Amino acid sequence: MADVIMKHSKAVIALWLVVLVCALPFGIKSGDVLEYDMNSMSGSSTEASDGQAIIDEHFLNSIDLSEILVISYSSSEELAAAQAIFVEFQNLMDDKYGAKTTVSNYGTYSKGDPNVEGILMIAIANNEGESWDIAHETDNIRDLVKEAKSNASAAYPEAAGLTTYVTGNDAITYDTENSSMEDVSKVDPLSILLIFVLLGLFFYAVVTAVVPPAVVGMAYGIALAAVYAIGCLMGVYYITQTLILVSMLGAGCDYAIFIITRYRDERKKGLSHEDALKTAIMWGGEAVFTSGISVIIGFAALALCDFAMVRTMGIILAIGIAIALVAALTFIPSLLNLVKDKIFWPSNIESYKRVEDKVQNGGKLGVHGHLSKGSKRYFAWLSRNTHKHSKLIAIALVVLCIPGLYIFAESEDSADMISVMPDSESVDGLDLIMTQTDGGTIMPTYIVLEMNESIATVGSLPYGGMSIPYVIWNEHGLDPATMTGAVPTVMKMTKYIDDEYEIVGSISGLNSWQIMYMKEGAELRTTDPSTINQALYEQMPSAVKGYVGMILAIASGQHDLTHIDPTAFTASWNSYVVSELTVANIIDGILNVGTGILSDDGQYVSVMVITTDKPMSADTMDFLAELRSDLHDGEESYDSVCRNIWSASYVAGTSASIDDMSKDIEDQFSMIRIVVAILLIVLLFFILGSYLTPIRSIITILLSVFLTVALTHVVFEGLMDTPVLFLIPIVLFVVLLGLGMDYEIFMTTKIRENKIKGMNNDEAIDNAIKEAGPVISLCALLMGGTFLTLVLANSSMLKELGFALGMGILIDGLLMVGYVSPALMHLMGDWSWKGPGFLTRRHGLNPDGSNMAVPAACGAAPADAERIGGEMPVRAVPATPEEVAKYKQECYSEVAVRQDRIAALNAEVKTLTDNKRIGRLDEEGEKELEAKRSELKAEKESLREFQRKSREDLRSGKGQ
């Protein structure tokens, strides 16, 4: 691979640019295929989705609450002004949209006296269905509301000061879309700035700070074309577009940085440009490729979920990481091959070496020098202490994880999608509705009943430009002689539900004016139609009260329908209104068909339940579980008892859909978690050739997940009073297993590389901490920081995802990989590398984890050789160009190892010397200081001798 890239670098870069140019036209349109309603992205058939499908197909006259105008009032004068606004708004909507919309008064609602204080709700129905997008007319509708207020204020001055909101499902979709675009415009620049600053400080170079995010930006442009293509097939949830950019910025920059850093380190050791680049591609590329595959496995596992929202998220994130990975493995090395050391401008390799020399031997340090010195000291300290205190670290991990695991196990995740919606006018309107009405008014729960056969003949009666529905019950619906059938059965069921559950604010099921009339007469102990009708009229909901009064007035012979007199409703339930239609026939049509309770063919019934608590709250979800049990479970359930009336029942509605989704996703992820863990263990097994290290890596990442979920619950539930959405732990588990594995692989492959080059286990770990530790920490800060920028988003869902993913990455990259993994590998010793011979021998290791007996090269002695201050055996003089190149590379590696030991000894000597100067060194300390000084001197002399002997061998070789 290295030879191909170095030979065809210009062609590789040109190919990437061509692909980008071809992809951009489609990527620009990616926003057109995004979905903002989670309900529209369901997956496999569920009870709620089946019930909703019946409602959508058979209940054409159901009230459309996709857009709602809410007007708040606090006096009778303001109520009159609100009614005037409604009239003006209705006229303006008719003028602008004509037959596309229907604006109707949905009634006044209040927790107190609706004539004094409350809200007026105005339903805006989309008559065009999916062929016309009313959501994107939301701003225009809001402008018409402002105009209606201005017009109404001429006659009602109070109108100008009334608070109005345009809300509803489509308005929420529109506001969520705008909020998402605002989040992207706010989060993306901050993420890029963070990356630029951290890279600039790490490399002390402008060009190097620009290249990784620029290359990821190119990959992101190509990934957006994939978003568009997939969105055309199945739709993409809007959060995915934000997550893919943040994920690609984090992971893609990690991969680019790892290869660039490896190239720089090899150049600092003295390798030529070609040798350094080959080494970076060979060793760094292997680590990057393994890491990328692990991330892709994690994301791709989401595609196993049946729900389109999660499935498309997984597919797109996996594609995005794959594109970023290929860019890091091909574009970055090609660019390095062309620009060489200029990528570090305004720094260069010589300036890096000078800084290293000043840090090691003393001298005036600039900003870069101080950062480099601080980094070396920290990671030298870290390598010593993870070895020295490995048992203590393992114990601390257990102690820390106990409360984390407890919180993880005991915390309940929420399905409340409303609580995580971004702040907007539509959400404020929704909150107002739920404070002035029962919480479930805007998002009712439906009990859909599929009758064994049609229970009524349904028709419509033209009157005064209106179409008034009527119902004639057959014997299956209502038998007048026995008062049996579907209608009384459903009425009994709804009364039971209303009485049984305190959370039920109101329930609207099948109604019969005849039954209501007879019951009211019995309760009032009268047969006078005027008394009974007037009492029933006053009980009618505001949405149908006017129509019921009109029918009673017509049947009673009132001619002035503009001033209906409720005290003169003299017609009984079976009085004829027109032709063969009675009062009961027409009012039953208004109450059942007009309100969307009975389907137009009489085959389906939709009982609407409005809860007092908010939809999707914990209490509402508990109620849904109990309601479903009442309907379906056991011989005493309604499905069993009423099997002669209906064949199936469904609990549907937004709350039921989210409940089904959360439970199904959780069930599916029980399998997906296992699949991801097994695939990653298998991947690491073949890459590392070890039995135990893959399992140890998975365990440390799982502990990161548990700690992160616990921390997320503490912060959002405990401190911010915001429920943690059920998706957060699920997505976190899979994503962190992939992304968090990056750092495990970077560290572990570096340790294995050191083992292959002849170090024993502890030396390999210590050297990996010093060499790979800084870049791993940088990568963790980059990726964790980019995710944490999402906490600035308007959406609580994005805030929770950003916080959880960001903290998870930081915990895993800085704590687990920095402290826990090295400590555990110290304790495990060569057990970390025990594996099947066919794999270990490929890496120069025996099946027991020890180094194979290979000739020592450039001081790379077998594992049992004396390494401090001793003479290191050297192999035969190289004779061919290939042997010379290999000899050089091995020499540079050994020099780097020795220099690291010298740096660590220098740090220890300096600490002891400082303590001696201030009088803190006892007699034992004095002896230790002298021993360290002698050890340091011997090590420096050994290094000089080794370098001299290596140069002599090279001068005497044929391939000089």
Side-chain angles (χ1 to χ4, degrees):
M1 179 177 174
D3 292 335
V4 172
I5 290 175
M6 295 176 70
K7 185 177 180 180
H8 304 288
S9 296
K10 292 181 180 178
V12 170
I13 291 176
L15 179 61
W16 272 104
L17 295 178
V18 169
V19 173
L20 176 63
V21 170
C22 295
L24 279 179
F26 301 100
I28 292 172
K29 298 190 292 183
S30 61
D32 298 341
V33 298
L34 300 181
E35 297 283 351
Y36 296 87
D37 181 7
M38 188 181 290
N39 288 325
S40 67
M41 302 197 68
S42 59
S44 57
S45 175
T46 64
E47 179 180 338
S49 64
D50 292 344
Q52 189 61 49
I54 292 173
I55 292 174
D56 293 341
E57 182 178 356
H58 296 284
F59 291 84
L60 304 179
N61 292 332
S62 59
I63 298 173
D64 185 353
L65 300 180
S66 58
E67 296 245 350
I68 304 170
L69 170 60
V70 185
I71 306 176
S72 177
Y73 63 89
S74 56
S75 67
S76 57
E77 291 80 12
E78 288 186 354
L79 174 57
Q83 298 285 4
I85 292 173
F86 159 63
V87 174
E88 292 290 340
F89 177 69
Q90 189 177 43
N91 293 333
L92 291 171
M93 287 290 291
D94 286 343
D95 291 342
K96 184 172 181 64
Y97 297 111
K100 287 185 176 181
T101 62
T102 299
V103 178
S104 55
N105 190 331
Y106 195 50
T108 57
Y109 296 85
S110 174
K111 288 293 178 71
D113 185 352
N115 294 315
V116 176
E117 180 182 10
I119 57 173
L120 173 65
M121 289 173 56
I122 299 164
I124 307 165
N126 176 10
N127 297 329
E128 301 293 314
E130 295 183 359
S131 63
W132 184 58
D133 185 10
I134 192 174
H136 285 89
E137 295 295 320
T138 301
D139 261 350
N140 294 328
I141 292 173
R142 286 170 176 161
D143 289 339
L144 294 181
V145 172
K146 294 176 183 177
E147 187 176 347
K149 289 172 65 176
S150 177
N151 295 345
S153 63
Y156 297 89
E158 296 88 351
L162 294 183
T163 302
T164 60
Y165 301 98
V166 174
T167 184
N169 291 335
D170 284 336
I172 290 172
T173 296
Y174 175 78
D175 286 341
T176 302
E177 179 179 354
N178 286 344
S179 177
S180 173
M181 294 169 63
E182 181 183 338
D183 287 342
V184 170
S185 65
K186 180 169 51 178
V187 169
D188 291 355
L190 185 60
S191 299
I192 294 170
L193 177 62
L194 175 67
I195 292 171
F196 183 80
V197 170
L198 289 176
L199 289 181
L201 291 174
F202 184 79
F203 288 103
Y204 211 63
V206 175
V207 175
T208 323
V210 172
V211 167
V215 172
V216 173
M218 174 192 69
Y220 177 65
I222 297 171
L224 285 181
V227 172
Y228 177 76
I230 294 173
C232 289
L233 298 175
M234 59 183 72
V236 177
Y237 196 48
Y238 78 97
I239 282 179
T240 305
Q241 190 173 36
T242 304
L243 286 178
I244 189 176
L245 176 58
V246 176
S247 299
M248 290 181 69
L249 273 175
C253 286
D254 281 3
Y255 304 150
I257 293 163
F258 202 77
I259 291 176
I260 293 173
T261 302
R262 186 61 189 262
Y263 170 77
R264 184 195 65 173
D265 291 346
E266 298 302 327
R267 291 286 287 129
K268 283 162 59 178
K269 292 176 185 176
L271 265 66
S272 66
H273 161 72
E274 290 78 10
D275 290 341
L277 185 56
K278 284 184 179 180
T279 302
I281 296 173
M282 181 175 68
W283 291 105
E286 181 191 26
V288 166
F289 177 76
T290 306
S291 300
I293 294 299
S294 71
V295 178
I296 292 170
I297 288 174
F299 282 140
L302 295 173
L304 298 176
C305 183
D306 286 339
F307 283 86
M309 180 196 74
V310 179
R311 184 169 63 249
T312 56
M313 183 186 296
I315 293 172
I316 289 172
L317 289 176
I319 290 174
I321 295 298
I323 295 172
L325 174 64
V326 176
L329 290 174
T330 58
F331 193 96
I332 292 293
S334 297
L335 187 63
L336 279 170
N337 192 39
L338 295 178
V339 302
K340 299 181 172 62
D341 297 344
K342 295 185 181 66
I343 198 169
F344 304 113
W345 185 89
S347 295
N348 54 52
I349 299 301
E350 293 305 317
S351 66
Y352 288 137
K353 288 182 178 178
R354 286 194 297 270
V355 170
E356 292 284 340
D357 184 64
K358 289 178 181 179
V359 169
Q360 185 169 332
N361 301 314
K364 186 177 181 181
L365 300 176
V367 175
H368 189 210
H370 283 293
L371 291 172
S372 179
K373 183 178 181 179
S375 173
K376 282 187 175 295
R377 281 189 173 183
Y378 171 73
F379 287 101
W381 172 88
L382 185 61
S383 68
R384 292 195 305 273
N385 284 279
T386 52
H387 186 184
K388 185 177 179 181
H389 303 295
S390 56
K391 292 181 180 179
L392 183 62
I393 291 172
I395 294 171
L397 175 67
V398 173
V399 172
L400 181 63
C401 286
I402 289 174
L405 288 170
Y406 175 79
I407 296 173
F408 177 86
E410 293 298 317
S411 299
E412 292 188 6
D413 302 319
S414 171
D416 189 355
M417 300 301 300
I418 296 176
S419 65
V420 297
M421 288 179 180
D423 294 335
S424 63
E425 177 180 330
S426 56
V427 172
D428 291 342
L430 197 62
D431 290 337
L432 177 61
I433 292 173
M434 290 189 292
T435 58
Q436 290 292 344
T437 69
D438 288 328
T441 299
I442 188 69
M443 295 179 184
T445 295
Y446 297 96
I447 303 172
V448 180
L449 304 174
E450 184 175 355
M451 298 298 167
N452 290 326
E453 48 192 308
S454 177
I455 60 175
T457 299
V458 178
S460 61
L461 176 69
Y463 184 85
M466 298 184 295
S467 180
I468 302 175
Y470 66 84
V471 167
I472 301 175
W473 304 112
N474 59 33
E475 66 276 14
H476 303 292
L478 176 62
D479 186 341
T482 60
M483 297 301 289
T484 58
V487 176
T489 301
V490 174
M491 291 179 74
K492 289 177 183 177
M493 181 184 74
T494 56
K495 186 177 186 309
Y496 167 79
I497 293 172
D498 194 18
D499 294 340
E500 178 72 13
Y501 298 103
E502 291 184 7
I503 196 172
V504 175
S506 64
I507 182 167
S508 303
L510 286 177
N511 277 300
S512 162
W513 189 260
Q514 176 186 352
I515 296 175
M516 294 167 64
Y517 186 95
M518 291 179 175
K519 283 186 176 181
E520 190 67 22
E523 290 181 7
L524 296 176
R525 297 183 179 180
T526 181
T527 58
D528 177 36
S530 297
T531 303
I532 298 172
N533 285 333
Q534 183 179 355
L536 290 176
Y537 171 75
E538 296 299 332
Q539 297 173 20
M540 292 294 102
S542 59
V544 298
K545 191 172 185 177
Y547 297 102
V548 171
M550 181 184 69
I551 299 303
L552 290 173
I554 294 172
S556 302
Q558 296 185 36
H559 300 291
D560 185 5
L561 298 183
T562 59
H563 296 87
I564 294 174
D565 181 9
T567 63
F569 290 153
T570 59
S572 63
W573 67 270
N574 54 358
S575 300
Y576 290 101
V577 179
V578 59
S579 185
E580 297 297 319
L581 299 177
T582 66
V583 170
N585 294 145
I586 301 177
I587 294 182
D588 284 354
I590 295 170
L591 296 180
N592 294 287
V593 179
T595 56
I597 294 173
L598 180 66
S599 64
D600 288 347
D601 59 3
Q603 188 72 45
Y604 299 92
V605 172
S606 175
V607 177
M608 183 169 68
V609 183
I610 295 177
T611 57
T612 55
D613 208 353
K614 294 181 179 181
M616 292 174 279
S617 69
D619 288 342
T620 299
M621 294 309 194
D622 290 341
F623 161 67
L624 290 179
E626 294 180 21
L627 178 61
R628 283 174 164 161
S629 179
D630 287 342
L631 286 170
H632 311 315
D633 297 342
E635 288 300 318
E636 299 301 318
S637 67
Y638 282 105
D639 284 349
S640 296
V641 173
C642 304
R643 64 172 64 95
N644 62 319
I645 296 177
W646 62 73
S647 57
S649 65
Y650 311 87
V651 177
T654 301
S655 297
S657 295
I658 298 299
D659 186 47
D660 284 347
M661 182 183 296
S662 65
K663 290 177 180 176
D664 278 13
I665 289 177
E666 180 59 41
D667 289 343
Q668 292 177 31
F669 266 82
S670 298
M671 178 269 294
I672 291 174
R673 290 186 184 100
I674 297 173
V675 170
V676 173
I678 291 174
L679 288 177
L680 289 178
I681 288 174
V682 171
L683 171 69
L684 293 182
F685 172 72
F686 282 103
I687 294 295
L688 301 176
S690 168
Y691 293 124
L692 298 181
T693 296
I695 298 173
R696 193 268 311 153
S697 299
I698 293 293
I699 290 174
T700 54
I701 293 178
L702 289 180
L703 293 177
S704 300
V705 173
F706 297 146
L707 291 173
T708 304
V709 172
L711 184 61
T712 303
H713 276 283
V714 170
V715 171
F716 283 90
E717 284 188 350
L719 301 180
M720 300 175 61
D721 196 28
T722 301
V724 175
L725 196 65
F726 72 94
L727 282 174
I728 305 302
I730 291 172
V731 173
L732 177 67
F733 180 93
V734 175
V735 172
L736 199 57
L737 268 181
L739 291 176
M741 190 60 73
D742 270 2
Y743 311 120
E744 280 285 343
I745 290 172
F746 287 165
M747 179 64 76
T748 307
T749 53
K750 180 61 179 176
I751 295 172
R752 190 200 60 188
E753 177 188 340
N754 291 338
K755 285 277 292 180
I756 293 170
K757 291 180 177 179
M759 299 183 198
N760 63 39
N761 192 63
D762 287 343
E763 288 174 338
I765 294 170
D766 293 345
N767 175 266
I769 292 174
K770 295 171 188 174
E771 287 200 358
V775 69
I776 289 173
S777 297
L778 171 69
C779 290
L781 289 172
L782 282 174
M783 189 181 297
T786 52
F787 276 120
L788 284 175
T789 58
L790 292 176
V791 301
L792 299 176
N794 293 321
S795 167
S796 292
M797 184 190 296
L798 276 179
K799 287 181 181 179
E800 291 179 359
L801 276 172
F803 178 84
L805 292 172
M807 291 306 300
I809 293 296
L810 293 177
I811 289 172
D812 186 67
L814 299 182
L815 296 181
M816 292 296 179
V817 176
Y819 289 82
V820 176
S821 294
L824 293 179
M825 293 186 77
H826 274 298
L827 293 174
M828 292 167 64
D830 282 341
W831 278 92
S832 296
W833 307 108
K834 290 182 184 295
F838 75 95
L839 289 177
T840 60
R841 293 189 185 96
R842 290 175 53 196
H843 303 311
L845 300 175
N846 291 312
D848 64 356
S850 63
N851 291 78
M852 293 177 64
V854 294
C858 293
D864 58 351
E866 178 67 26
R867 303 191 61 85
I868 303 296
E871 289 297 323
M872 308 300 293
V874 194
R875 74 174 190 181
V877 174
T880 66
E882 291 78 13
E883 290 178 343
V884 170
K886 185 177 181 181
Y887 192 92
K888 285 181 179 180
Q889 181 175 332
E890 292 169 339
C891 288
Y892 293 140
S893 298
E894 179 61 17
V895 167
V897 171
R898 289 167 176 256
Q899 286 176 338
D900 284 338
R901 288 201 297 271
I902 291 172
L905 287 169
N906 265 326
E908 292 181 66
V909 169
K910 185 179 186 306
T911 301
L912 292 169
T913 303
D914 290 342
N915 287 336
K916 179 180 180 181
R917 188 174 60 251
I918 61 178
R920 290 185 178 177
L921 214 60
D922 57 14
E923 185 177 346
E924 289 297 321
E926 293 276 2
K927 292 180 181 179
E928 183 180 1
L929 174 58
E930 290 303 317
K932 290 293 181 184
R933 283 174 173 170
S934 299
E935 187 178 350
L936 177 61
K937 180 180 178 181
E939 186 64 42
K940 288 181 177 179
E941 290 175 354
S942 176
L943 175 59
R944 285 193 293 270
E945 177 60 20
F946 167 74
Q947 290 173 321
R948 182 193 64 76
K949 184 69 170 71
S950 298
R951 286 193 294 269
E952 289 179 358
D953 288 343
L954 284 171
R955 279 196 297 269
S956 62
K958 294 180 182 179
Q960 182 179 338

